[in-house]
Amino acid sequence: MSVSGGTVSTAAKVLEQYISGEVAEANAQPQLLHLHQSDPRAVLAALADKANNVVCNADAGTAATQAGAVLINVARFLDQNASSETKAPKASAKGGAGNKSVSRALLDHVLLLTGTRNRAAKETAVRAQGCALVADLAVKSPDHVAAKDKLLEFALDRVPSIRERAVQGLATFAGSLDVDQALSARLGDPYTTVRVATVRSMRVNGITAPALTSRIDDVESSVRAELFHTLAQQPTAVSAFGPAALSRLVAGLADRSASVRNAAGLAVDAWREQLSGVAHLLQRCDIVEDEALGNAVARELAARFKDDSAVAARRFLSEGLTAAGSIRTPGAGGTSTPTEGLCAAMLTRHAIAVMSEEERDERVDVPLLLQRTTEALGAASSRQHGGLILRQLLHIVALVDFGDETARRRAERLGEAVLQRAPLTKVSSSSPSSAEFGMADLGILILRKCNGLGIGRGFQPRTSKHHALEAQCSTRAVLIISDLCQPLQGAAESEGSGDDEQGEGGQFATRLSMRLQELNNAIDERLQRRSSFAAQKKQAVAKEEFIQAQRLKEATVKNDAELDKLQKEHAVLKAERDDILMRVLAIIRALLRWSNSDMQRDPALFRTLNQIIAPVVALPALSEDVEVAAVTAICLFCVRDGGTAKSHWGLLLQLLRSVRPDDNSGTRSAADRRLFRARAAVAARTMADCALVHSGGSLDRDEILSAANALSVVPFPERHIVVEPLCSWLLGLGHVFFEEHLREPVLEVQWALGWMLVEAFKQHGRHFEEDDDFDDAASAIAGNSRAPQAHVAAAAKVARGRGASWVGSKPAAGNASVGGDEGEDEVDEEDGAEEQQTSSKMLQFFNLVPKLPGKHASPMLSLAVESIAESGLWRRGVLLPRIVGGRPRWLRGFSWPQLFAFAHERLPAEMRFRLWRCALQLCVSDPELAPLAEVPAALVKVMKEAPAGTAALLREAVALGADASALSPLLSRLPPSTDKSFRPRGESLLLPRAEAKAAEQEHRAALAELDIDIDVWAPAEVQVPDLVPPHLRRFGGQKGEAGRKRSNAENAGPIVPPTAFPKEAKQSFAEASAAPEATKRRRCANKTKDTNYDARLPLRDLGDIE
């Protein structure tokens, strides 16, 4: 059937009037429907013609967008009404090839306008308009494969608005594998609107659930809120999340943003209805692996569903638990699982915590609660999750009020029993001051409550009565410690090992420790014998002396039997001694945490330092856990008492300095390095706390400053243990540093400010400190025929020239002998999560520093930037070539442009000149490396806020040898009007290149005298690559394939050996680097035509349109 020209013109006229607003929608759409019923092809031709105009005039902006929306509405209206008014016999009478909706036919035409598959227009407006039309029309054609493929291409567009519109259109096809994978990839888009649209478009299933879970930590609250809105609309998809992911999602109820909390509440409400109760929802969460997260989840659920939680609490307390730890199910006679018993206990704890005091007194049966807690204490060791269940009940006991003397005495006996028999809580040596305390803390809290003392850390008046109650509570706890030490002390006295001068309990574990030392020596001797026997047996077999070999075999069997016996005895004695020592130290630490008494007026507690803790530290054969616990107790004494801190200040400094490399550090085992690191971490926190608490009191100014100096000069692999203590010290005592720095430079603290600022802008995912990153890439490339071996060798040479800190000590799997001694891989154990946490903390810190009160705030940030430039740390920001995945890439340790813009924005106008002088000095001292670190590019970005005198400083830098081509954007735009009276004496503000390099070497030498291994932190010199990154070529610099060759004077006496690319690698790397990253887009006009492709309107293949 031919298309009627009159009908086409009529339909086109109606469309034009509809788009221009001359005809209302209520009149235009019925007219088009009437024309469509008489001649569908004509109406479609008119729509296609208008679509051509809309796409071609996409740069019209709002008008084109509105016209496209009109076409979409018309197509949908025709599809909705034609299906009800057009009869099937009429369609069959036309003898068409098939039925096709108007939306689908128009979609086919728009796909041609967008360039079809793997083709797209160059103009952004054309691509955006085409993407919008395809996304809207695809709603009515969920099975259109070409539309799905086109939207997948648009989802990778470089323009964020096009990606956003594409993922909105992909919601129609959500559920297919390729779409789910594409949407999961878009969840990491750098633009917030794209991530929000992606979350809204996704369908929750097993493929998308992990990607959606990662958005819980999104920095934008709108993304997190949209995540929960999406989950609330799909409550049946809760089964797609594992226990750990579901716990993190439910914890969204405690999000810092109110909008996210409200959205999370909608999702949790839907899950509660889906799972038939709050208890079942909590059972689906992971509350065992991460106890802190489990408590947060239970707390939020109990606060949101108070009635359901109160019912569950009443049931738990009334029924109790079975011997296996499960709750008793009434009526059915069955029992639940032990995990359900733990969930019930945790929900009960937080349900009672959110009650008011009146509700608590009314609903909680205190005698029954004490009975259930006593039963849980007896079964804590034999019951699954027994320790966790007991801890929940102890929290409840610490919350409730004891109504009479009988209940108080029962609670007091319960607290004593907890200190004596409750299973010990494993406290991480790296974080011994975690917020979730152990059994000893709960036992001390119950004792304090029974003695009329508060259990919080708020202010309590220190009256005579208060001191008496504190002393009474401490005395009772110390008596419990004496009872615990009696078996060991009695055994020691029976063997005559006691010492009256040591006081009570002074040598209570000496016998066991001496026996353990003897066993250690005997075990080492047997191990050496076994190695010797094995070597002698191998030699005897080689010499065919089989009788001697048999004798050696029998001797080995006898030696192994003795070794096994000794090891078993060692394990039994070690467990016996460590169990009591850890319990004693846990009780002392709990007393120190919760006591509010004056240490000098609490003799029972104060004497434990010399009578218990000091002898424990002197014991031989101490285990790592006991030693760290004893050091932690000493540190708590130092924080509580200024005199103790002053007398132990040398010990704290020694513990912190023990992680520095020395003559014996190469022979340390992995266990010794782990122990030294744990002790140093405790000492670092203690020194910062003591400096803050005792400043102006027991500690003088030199001691306070020595804490910052010791924290600042830790080795590179151990920098993470001092990040938080340094931040605390600088926030509280930064004025002390600044005052001393004005008198005489404090290089240690200024150095620390520099490397902390570098950590804030570290490039994550690059792993510059790990040698195995390069080794893995090189090994993968070696097996890839597409990557030339010259690339591998070139990248290896450049990587080795970056400095020791950029090539860690972790050896490759197949080259264990290359990296040094074994076990070194544990020195610098970093993962992506730890690095990101450190960077986040550093950003928060330096965001806060300029806002501090006082004159020292802004100068501290400026000194940090100057430290990076003066010490050579800025070279870690140089872009250097690497081979990653068989392709050349330019990588760096941190971003200098981001760092410079961050500091420039937060410093006042009068201090920005120091930053410009610092940056331009880098351009003078190293004009070839500075552009690779993007120092000139950073200046260009902040050019509009340049301080007065910048133009003269810039011209002086060029005169001293800075790269004029790299600084040309600044030279052409900065006005010289403010430079006349800036320097009245005409003195130079920049150093010549030779003097600048000499000053840097002098600064690095001064840092080395302070025991800072500066070569590990940053290289003294980096070889300039022969190529320039593509995005920096517009700033000038090196030209051609080989680049500008440096003179002999510039290359004389390099500190680091030259690491230039080999000649055979230059050409291949230049070709790979010059290759475009992505294929350029083609125009959708005649330039996009292909000889094998016939682009035409799909009118002849439409068939009958209904």
Side-chain angles (χ1 to χ4, degrees), residues 873-906:
L873 275 175
W874 68 275
R875 294 189 182 91
R876 294 187 63 184
V878 173
L879 287 163
L880 294 175
R882 289 284 298 273
I883 300 296
V884 179
R887 298 184 60 186
R889 293 187 61 188
W890 294 86
L891 305 179
R892 59 189 173 191
F894 75 98
S895 175
W896 173 270
Q898 294 180 8
L899 184 150
F900 190 85
F902 176 88
H904 197 274
E905 178 184 356
R906 284 157 181 79

mmCIF file of all heavy atoms in Angstrom, residues 873-906:
data_model
loop_
_atom_site.group_PDB
_atom_site.id
_atom_site.type_symbol
_atom_site.label_atom_id
_atom_site.label_comp_id
_atom_site.label_asym_id
_atom_site.label_seq_id
_atom_site.Cartn_x
_atom_site.Cartn_y
_atom_site.Cartn_z
ATOM 1 N N LEU A 873 59.517 14.888 48.566
ATOM 2 C CA LEU A 873 58.319 14.061 48.509
ATOM 3 C C LEU A 873 57.475 14.343 47.269
ATOM 4 O O LEU A 873 56.699 13.499 46.842
ATOM 5 C CB LEU A 873 57.468 14.292 49.771
ATOM 6 C CG LEU A 873 57.815 13.467 51.003
ATOM 7 C CD1 LEU A 873 56.949 13.916 52.182
ATOM 8 C CD2 LEU A 873 57.622 11.992 50.755
ATOM 9 N N TRP A 874 57.638 15.516 46.682
ATOM 10 C CA TRP A 874 56.827 15.862 45.522
ATOM 11 C C TRP A 874 57.131 14.940 44.336
ATOM 12 O O TRP A 874 56.296 14.794 43.440
ATOM 13 C CB TRP A 874 57.086 17.319 45.123
ATOM 14 C CG TRP A 874 58.453 17.573 44.581
ATOM 15 C CD1 TRP A 874 59.580 17.829 45.295
ATOM 16 C CD2 TRP A 874 58.843 17.581 43.207
ATOM 17 N NE1 TRP A 874 60.654 18.003 44.466
ATOM 18 C CE2 TRP A 874 60.233 17.861 43.164
ATOM 19 C CE3 TRP A 874 58.169 17.400 42.010
ATOM 20 C CZ2 TRP A 874 60.932 17.949 41.983
ATOM 21 C CZ3 TRP A 874 58.874 17.490 40.824
ATOM 22 C CH2 TRP A 874 60.230 17.753 40.813
ATOM 23 N N ARG A 875 58.294 14.295 44.334
ATOM 24 C CA ARG A 875 58.622 13.398 43.224
ATOM 25 C C ARG A 875 57.738 12.164 43.191
ATOM 26 O O ARG A 875 57.681 11.472 42.176
ATOM 27 C CB ARG A 875 60.095 12.991 43.311
ATOM 28 C CG ARG A 875 61.058 14.145 43.087
ATOM 29 C CD ARG A 875 62.500 13.654 42.956
ATOM 30 N NE ARG A 875 63.408 14.773 42.793
ATOM 31 C CZ ARG A 875 64.017 15.395 43.782
ATOM 32 N NH1 ARG A 875 63.819 14.991 45.034
ATOM 33 N NH2 ARG A 875 64.827 16.422 43.561
ATOM 34 N N ARG A 876 57.081 11.868 44.299
ATOM 35 C CA ARG A 876 56.131 10.755 44.271
ATOM 36 C C ARG A 876 54.902 11.086 43.430
ATOM 37 O O ARG A 876 54.124 10.197 43.092
ATOM 38 C CB ARG A 876 55.689 10.402 45.695
ATOM 39 C CG ARG A 876 56.790 9.855 46.565
ATOM 40 C CD ARG A 876 56.265 9.371 47.898
ATOM 41 N NE ARG A 876 55.327 8.271 47.737
ATOM 42 C CZ ARG A 876 54.656 7.703 48.728
ATOM 43 N NH1 ARG A 876 54.810 8.171 49.959
ATOM 44 N NH2 ARG A 876 53.842 6.720 48.524
ATOM 45 N N GLY A 877 54.722 12.341 43.095
ATOM 46 C CA GLY A 877 53.615 12.742 42.238
ATOM 47 C C GLY A 877 53.968 12.824 40.774
ATOM 48 O O GLY A 877 53.143 13.274 39.965
ATOM 49 N N VAL A 878 55.178 12.385 40.400
ATOM 50 C CA VAL A 878 55.601 12.435 39.001
ATOM 51 C C VAL A 878 54.953 11.293 38.236
ATOM 52 O O VAL A 878 54.924 10.140 38.697
ATOM 53 C CB VAL A 878 57.140 12.350 38.905
ATOM 54 C CG1 VAL A 878 57.575 12.241 37.461
ATOM 55 C CG2 VAL A 878 57.763 13.563 39.565
ATOM 56 N N LEU A 879 54.418 11.588 37.068
ATOM 57 C CA LEU A 879 53.837 10.577 36.198
ATOM 58 C C LEU A 879 54.946 9.803 35.508
ATOM 59 O O LEU A 879 55.798 10.383 34.831
ATOM 60 C CB LEU A 879 52.931 11.234 35.155
ATOM 61 C CG LEU A 879 51.591 11.761 35.676
ATOM 62 C CD1 LEU A 879 50.985 12.730 34.676
ATOM 63 C CD2 LEU A 879 50.634 10.620 35.947
ATOM 64 N N LEU A 880 54.928 8.491 35.681
ATOM 65 C CA LEU A 880 55.945 7.633 35.095
ATOM 66 C C LEU A 880 55.265 6.481 34.360
ATOM 67 O O LEU A 880 54.182 6.036 34.757
ATOM 68 C CB LEU A 880 56.880 7.085 36.171
ATOM 69 C CG LEU A 880 57.758 8.114 36.875
ATOM 70 C CD1 LEU A 880 58.539 7.467 37.997
ATOM 71 C CD2 LEU A 880 58.700 8.785 35.891
ATOM 72 N N PRO A 881 55.896 5.971 33.303
ATOM 73 C CA PRO A 881 55.248 4.912 32.511
ATOM 74 C C PRO A 881 55.324 3.563 33.204
ATOM 75 O O PRO A 881 56.318 3.212 33.829
ATOM 76 C CB PRO A 881 56.053 4.920 31.202
ATOM 77 C CG PRO A 881 57.392 5.441 31.606
ATOM 78 C CD PRO A 881 57.160 6.412 32.715
ATOM 79 N N ARG A 882 54.240 2.828 33.099
ATOM 80 C CA ARG A 882 54.172 1.450 33.585
ATOM 81 C C ARG A 882 53.438 0.610 32.560
ATOM 82 O O ARG A 882 52.642 1.116 31.779
ATOM 83 C CB ARG A 882 53.427 1.380 34.924
ATOM 84 C CG ARG A 882 54.165 1.957 36.090
ATOM 85 C CD ARG A 882 55.271 1.050 36.591
ATOM 86 N NE ARG A 882 54.770 -0.206 37.070
ATOM 87 C CZ ARG A 882 54.353 -0.425 38.317
ATOM 88 N NH1 ARG A 882 54.363 0.572 39.187
ATOM 89 N NH2 ARG A 882 53.933 -1.608 38.686
ATOM 90 N N ILE A 883 53.685 -0.686 32.577
ATOM 91 C CA ILE A 883 52.963 -1.617 31.734
ATOM 92 C C ILE A 883 51.910 -2.282 32.604
ATOM 93 O O ILE A 883 52.226 -3.016 33.539
ATOM 94 C CB ILE A 883 53.901 -2.672 31.123
ATOM 95 C CG1 ILE A 883 54.966 -1.987 30.276
ATOM 96 C CG2 ILE A 883 53.115 -3.665 30.281
ATOM 97 C CD1 ILE A 883 54.433 -1.247 29.080
ATOM 98 N N VAL A 884 50.642 -2.025 32.343
ATOM 99 C CA VAL A 884 49.523 -2.568 33.106
ATOM 100 C C VAL A 884 48.582 -3.250 32.124
ATOM 101 O O VAL A 884 48.037 -2.612 31.237
ATOM 102 C CB VAL A 884 48.783 -1.468 33.891
ATOM 103 C CG1 VAL A 884 47.616 -2.070 34.661
ATOM 104 C CG2 VAL A 884 49.737 -0.759 34.840
ATOM 105 N N GLY A 885 48.404 -4.550 32.327
ATOM 106 C CA GLY A 885 47.508 -5.280 31.448
ATOM 107 C C GLY A 885 47.970 -5.316 30.008
ATOM 108 O O GLY A 885 47.149 -5.394 29.090
ATOM 109 N N GLY A 886 49.276 -5.250 29.791
ATOM 110 C CA GLY A 886 49.807 -5.291 28.442
ATOM 111 C C GLY A 886 49.780 -3.967 27.713
ATOM 112 O O GLY A 886 50.144 -3.903 26.536
ATOM 113 N N ARG A 887 49.367 -2.896 28.394
ATOM 114 C CA ARG A 887 49.291 -1.580 27.762
ATOM 115 C C ARG A 887 50.088 -0.572 28.589
ATOM 116 O O ARG A 887 50.150 -0.670 29.812
ATOM 117 C CB ARG A 887 47.833 -1.118 27.656
ATOM 118 C CG ARG A 887 46.954 -2.013 26.811
ATOM 119 C CD ARG A 887 45.568 -1.430 26.694
ATOM 120 N NE ARG A 887 45.587 -0.127 26.069
ATOM 121 C CZ ARG A 887 44.524 0.658 25.956
ATOM 122 N NH1 ARG A 887 43.377 0.270 26.433
ATOM 123 N NH2 ARG A 887 44.619 1.841 25.367
ATOM 124 N N PRO A 888 50.691 0.403 27.943
ATOM 125 C CA PRO A 888 51.433 1.435 28.692
ATOM 126 C C PRO A 888 50.481 2.393 29.389
ATOM 127 O O PRO A 888 49.484 2.834 28.812
ATOM 128 C CB PRO A 888 52.241 2.140 27.602
ATOM 129 C CG PRO A 888 51.445 1.939 26.355
ATOM 130 C CD PRO A 888 50.786 0.595 26.480
ATOM 131 N N ARG A 889 50.767 2.696 30.656
ATOM 132 C CA ARG A 889 49.969 3.647 31.422
ATOM 133 C C ARG A 889 50.910 4.557 32.195
ATOM 134 O O ARG A 889 52.033 4.185 32.531
ATOM 135 C CB ARG A 889 49.026 2.918 32.380
ATOM 136 C CG ARG A 889 47.944 2.121 31.704
ATOM 137 C CD ARG A 889 46.963 1.574 32.707
ATOM 138 N NE ARG A 889 46.308 2.645 33.438
ATOM 139 C CZ ARG A 889 45.511 2.448 34.487
ATOM 140 N NH1 ARG A 889 45.279 1.236 34.920
ATOM 141 N NH2 ARG A 889 44.959 3.464 35.098
ATOM 142 N N TRP A 890 50.398 5.739 32.497
ATOM 143 C CA TRP A 890 51.164 6.737 33.255
ATOM 144 C C TRP A 890 50.576 6.790 34.657
ATOM 145 O O TRP A 890 49.419 7.170 34.849
ATOM 146 C CB TRP A 890 51.076 8.096 32.565
ATOM 147 C CG TRP A 890 51.743 8.106 31.224
ATOM 148 C CD1 TRP A 890 51.198 7.753 30.036
ATOM 149 C CD2 TRP A 890 53.098 8.453 30.960
ATOM 150 N NE1 TRP A 890 52.118 7.866 29.033
ATOM 151 C CE2 TRP A 890 53.305 8.312 29.574
ATOM 152 C CE3 TRP A 890 54.160 8.898 31.737
ATOM 153 C CZ2 TRP A 890 54.519 8.569 28.957
ATOM 154 C CZ3 TRP A 890 55.371 9.164 31.134
ATOM 155 C CH2 TRP A 890 55.553 8.998 29.757
ATOM 156 N N LEU A 891 51.372 6.433 35.644
ATOM 157 C CA LEU A 891 50.909 6.318 37.024
ATOM 158 C C LEU A 891 51.765 7.188 37.934
ATOM 159 O O LEU A 891 52.900 7.545 37.611
ATOM 160 C CB LEU A 891 50.961 4.863 37.483
ATOM 161 C CG LEU A 891 50.207 3.848 36.623
ATOM 162 C CD1 LEU A 891 50.367 2.459 37.185
ATOM 163 C CD2 LEU A 891 48.746 4.216 36.515
ATOM 164 N N ARG A 892 51.214 7.509 39.103
ATOM 165 C CA ARG A 892 51.912 8.338 40.078
ATOM 166 C C ARG A 892 51.481 7.939 41.476
ATOM 167 O O ARG A 892 50.470 7.246 41.662
ATOM 168 C CB ARG A 892 51.611 9.818 39.844
ATOM 169 C CG ARG A 892 50.131 10.164 39.940
ATOM 170 C CD ARG A 892 49.864 11.573 39.503
ATOM 171 N NE ARG A 892 48.434 11.860 39.429
ATOM 172 C CZ ARG A 892 47.925 12.943 38.873
ATOM 173 N NH1 ARG A 892 48.735 13.841 38.346
ATOM 174 N NH2 ARG A 892 46.623 13.143 38.830
ATOM 175 N N GLY A 893 52.240 8.389 42.473
ATOM 176 C CA GLY A 893 51.944 8.044 43.856
ATOM 177 C C GLY A 893 50.854 8.889 44.476
ATOM 178 O O GLY A 893 50.049 8.399 45.258
ATOM 179 N N PHE A 894 50.817 10.174 44.168
ATOM 180 C CA PHE A 894 49.758 11.050 44.663
ATOM 181 C C PHE A 894 49.554 12.161 43.637
ATOM 182 O O PHE A 894 50.365 12.350 42.722
ATOM 183 C CB PHE A 894 50.111 11.643 46.040
ATOM 184 C CG PHE A 894 51.139 12.740 45.998
ATOM 185 C CD1 PHE A 894 50.765 14.078 46.017
ATOM 186 C CD2 PHE A 894 52.491 12.442 45.925
ATOM 187 C CE1 PHE A 894 51.717 15.081 45.967
ATOM 188 C CE2 PHE A 894 53.449 13.440 45.882
ATOM 189 C CZ PHE A 894 53.060 14.767 45.904
ATOM 190 N N SER A 895 48.465 12.879 43.795
ATOM 191 C CA SER A 895 48.100 13.922 42.838
ATOM 192 C C SER A 895 48.527 15.284 43.374
ATOM 193 O O SER A 895 47.926 15.809 44.320
ATOM 194 C CB SER A 895 46.588 13.895 42.579
ATOM 195 O OG SER A 895 46.203 14.967 41.748
ATOM 196 N N TRP A 896 49.568 15.858 42.779
ATOM 197 C CA TRP A 896 49.977 17.213 43.162
ATOM 198 C C TRP A 896 48.918 18.250 42.803
ATOM 199 O O TRP A 896 48.679 19.164 43.606
ATOM 200 C CB TRP A 896 51.313 17.554 42.511
ATOM 201 C CG TRP A 896 51.723 18.972 42.720
ATOM 202 C CD1 TRP A 896 51.428 20.041 41.925
ATOM 203 C CD2 TRP A 896 52.456 19.510 43.829
ATOM 204 N NE1 TRP A 896 51.945 21.203 42.443
ATOM 205 C CE2 TRP A 896 52.585 20.911 43.621
ATOM 206 C CE3 TRP A 896 53.031 18.951 44.952
ATOM 207 C CZ2 TRP A 896 53.263 21.722 44.508
ATOM 208 C CZ3 TRP A 896 53.703 19.771 45.838
ATOM 209 C CH2 TRP A 896 53.813 21.136 45.615
ATOM 210 N N PRO A 897 48.261 18.209 41.628
ATOM 211 C CA PRO A 897 47.230 19.224 41.349
ATOM 212 C C PRO A 897 46.108 19.247 42.378
ATOM 213 O O PRO A 897 45.664 20.321 42.799
ATOM 214 C CB PRO A 897 46.716 18.828 39.957
ATOM 215 C CG PRO A 897 47.844 18.084 39.334
ATOM 216 C CD PRO A 897 48.489 17.345 40.448
ATOM 217 N N GLN A 898 45.638 18.075 42.791
ATOM 218 C CA GLN A 898 44.581 18.045 43.805
ATOM 219 C C GLN A 898 45.086 18.588 45.137
ATOM 220 O O GLN A 898 44.379 19.326 45.830
ATOM 221 C CB GLN A 898 44.067 16.618 43.974
ATOM 222 C CG GLN A 898 43.347 16.061 42.754
ATOM 223 C CD GLN A 898 42.858 14.654 42.982
ATOM 224 O OE1 GLN A 898 42.926 14.125 44.095
ATOM 225 N NE2 GLN A 898 42.373 14.018 41.921
ATOM 226 N N LEU A 899 46.284 18.210 45.504
ATOM 227 C CA LEU A 899 46.861 18.694 46.763
ATOM 228 C C LEU A 899 47.021 20.213 46.740
ATOM 229 O O LEU A 899 46.672 20.896 47.710
ATOM 230 C CB LEU A 899 48.204 17.993 46.994
ATOM 231 C CG LEU A 899 48.957 18.255 48.287
ATOM 232 C CD1 LEU A 899 49.780 17.023 48.660
ATOM 233 C CD2 LEU A 899 49.895 19.454 48.187
ATOM 234 N N PHE A 900 47.554 20.742 45.648
ATOM 235 C CA PHE A 900 47.802 22.182 45.561
ATOM 236 C C PHE A 900 46.483 22.954 45.573
ATOM 237 O O PHE A 900 46.363 23.989 46.251
ATOM 238 C CB PHE A 900 48.594 22.485 44.289
ATOM 239 C CG PHE A 900 49.109 23.889 44.213
ATOM 240 C CD1 PHE A 900 50.305 24.245 44.813
ATOM 241 C CD2 PHE A 900 48.394 24.873 43.559
ATOM 242 C CE1 PHE A 900 50.781 25.543 44.762
ATOM 243 C CE2 PHE A 900 48.861 26.177 43.492
ATOM 244 C CZ PHE A 900 50.060 26.514 44.103
ATOM 245 N N ALA A 901 45.489 22.476 44.815
ATOM 246 C CA ALA A 901 44.193 23.155 44.802
ATOM 247 C C ALA A 901 43.537 23.109 46.172
ATOM 248 O O ALA A 901 42.901 24.083 46.607
ATOM 249 C CB ALA A 901 43.293 22.522 43.749
ATOM 250 N N PHE A 902 43.681 21.981 46.876
ATOM 251 C CA PHE A 902 43.124 21.839 48.223
ATOM 252 C C PHE A 902 43.722 22.879 49.168
ATOM 253 O O PHE A 902 43.005 23.590 49.884
ATOM 254 C CB PHE A 902 43.396 20.425 48.716
ATOM 255 C CG PHE A 902 42.954 20.159 50.125
ATOM 256 C CD1 PHE A 902 41.670 19.727 50.400
ATOM 257 C CD2 PHE A 902 43.831 20.327 51.186
ATOM 258 C CE1 PHE A 902 41.268 19.476 51.703
ATOM 259 C CE2 PHE A 902 43.441 20.079 52.482
ATOM 260 C CZ PHE A 902 42.153 19.654 52.741
ATOM 261 N N ALA A 903 45.054 22.987 49.171
ATOM 262 C CA ALA A 903 45.713 23.949 50.065
ATOM 263 C C ALA A 903 45.444 25.382 49.632
ATOM 264 O O ALA A 903 45.236 26.275 50.474
ATOM 265 C CB ALA A 903 47.211 23.672 50.095
ATOM 266 N N HIS A 904 45.438 25.647 48.330
ATOM 267 C CA HIS A 904 45.231 27.003 47.821
ATOM 268 C C HIS A 904 43.845 27.515 48.192
ATOM 269 O O HIS A 904 43.667 28.704 48.509
ATOM 270 C CB HIS A 904 45.413 27.004 46.302
ATOM 271 C CG HIS A 904 45.633 28.369 45.716
ATOM 272 N ND1 HIS A 904 44.580 29.202 45.364
ATOM 273 C CD2 HIS A 904 46.770 29.054 45.431
ATOM 274 C CE1 HIS A 904 45.073 30.325 44.884
ATOM 275 N NE2 HIS A 904 46.388 30.274 44.903
ATOM 276 N N GLU A 905 42.867 26.642 48.175
ATOM 277 C CA GLU A 905 41.494 27.057 48.484
ATOM 278 C C GLU A 905 41.317 27.378 49.957
ATOM 279 O O GLU A 905 40.532 28.262 50.313
ATOM 280 C CB GLU A 905 40.533 25.944 48.068
ATOM 281 C CG GLU A 905 39.077 26.222 48.365
ATOM 282 C CD GLU A 905 38.185 25.061 48.019
ATOM 283 O OE1 GLU A 905 38.692 24.061 47.468
ATOM 284 O OE2 GLU A 905 36.970 25.135 48.291
ATOM 285 N N ARG A 906 42.055 26.694 50.831
ATOM 286 C CA ARG A 906 41.831 26.830 52.261
ATOM 287 C C ARG A 906 42.759 27.821 52.949
ATOM 288 O O ARG A 906 42.531 28.169 54.101
ATOM 289 C CB ARG A 906 41.969 25.455 52.924
ATOM 290 C CG ARG A 906 40.756 24.572 52.672
ATOM 291 C CD ARG A 906 41.057 23.094 52.800
ATOM 292 N NE ARG A 906 39.858 22.311 52.531
ATOM 293 C CZ ARG A 906 39.411 22.049 51.313
ATOM 294 N NH1 ARG A 906 40.063 22.495 50.253
ATOM 295 N NH2 ARG A 906 38.307 21.339 51.145
#
